[in-house]
Amino acid sequence: MFAGLSGDMNPPGANWSYVERLKKMTRMKLLLKGIDTAEDAKLAREHGADGVIVSNHGGRATETGRGTIDILPEVVDAVGTQFPVFVDGGFRRGSDVYKALALGARAVGIGRPYIYGLSAFGQEGVEQVLDIFRAELTLTMRQCGTPSIAQIGRSSILRNGMRL
């Protein structure tokens, strides 16, 4: 049953049949990280993934040169709003989180900001980073007239002066 499954987080021989086998082996939710095209998001859904994480692994592991915030709308449009899409990479402010939620992300991962807080001030630093993100997100929501996260939508943001 486990033949050909190395247990590595990113095995070099992984393909869509590998994803299907993983899905059959567990009752846990299967999220695929590193999705950076609409086509791959559709394939992930078709092959049994329960959701995807739009990620370029800190900009180090893909050759598209596109930021995850630029990829996010096409992925959400490709798989629909009923399929969970998460995002990470480059989120440094609460307003960045607002934009990702407006573009359809269910959640936004932050990496470096909390690591900076941890390395500078330990647990208190992490808590402060999260408090800052929360306060900035709340302020942005108020400025955009969206009192709840559920009300955040694409109509709240513009790109190059145009609605998305």
Side-chain angles (χ1 to χ4, degrees):
M1 179 168 118
F2 294 107
L5 297 177
S6 66
D8 293 338
M9 292 299 287
N10 192 14
N15 56 28
W16 294 112
S17 65
Y18 187 93
V19 171
E20 290 171 352
R21 287 180 59 207
L22 281 175
K23 182 62 181 171
K24 289 176 185 172
M25 296 171 85
T26 184
R27 286 179 284 164
M28 296 186 295
K29 298 292 184 185
L30 177 64
L31 300 177
L32 295 183
K33 182 176 180 180
I35 300 299
D36 64 0
T37 65
E39 294 79 16
D40 281 345
K42 284 188 222 175
L43 285 167
R45 185 186 62 200
E46 291 167 11
H47 290 279
D50 295 297
V52 295
I53 304 170
V54 175
S55 178
N56 61 13
H57 309 292
R60 295 181 305 276
T62 64
E63 62 242 6
T64 66
R66 298 188 307 157
T68 56
I69 196 74
D70 296 321
I71 298 166
L72 181 61
E74 74 182 54
V75 168
V76 171
D77 290 346
V79 297
T81 58
Q82 299 306 308
F83 188 75
V85 176
F86 305 92
V87 66
D88 72 10
F91 297 91
R92 301 292 185 261
R93 294 178 288 284
S95 58
D96 296 334
V97 172
Y98 184 92
K99 292 170 194 172
L101 295 173
L103 292 172
R106 294 268 182 101
V108 178
I110 58 169
R112 289 190 183 127
Y114 86 83
I115 293 296
Y116 295 154
L118 179 66
S119 62
F121 300 106
Q123 180 177 335
E124 289 181 27
V126 173
E127 291 171 4
Q128 182 65 34
V129 165
L130 295 175
D131 288 345
I132 291 168
F133 265 84
R134 190 176 300 110
E136 290 174 347
L137 175 58
T138 300
L139 178 62
T140 304
M141 289 171 62
R142 288 179 181 157
Q143 291 172 332
C144 293
T146 48
S148 71
I149 288 182
Q151 292 176 306
I152 298 173
R154 287 191 184 183
S155 63
S156 302
I157 58 174
L158 301 173
R159 172 161 291 160
N160 299 328
M162 309 270 302
R163 297 244 179 250
L164 294 175

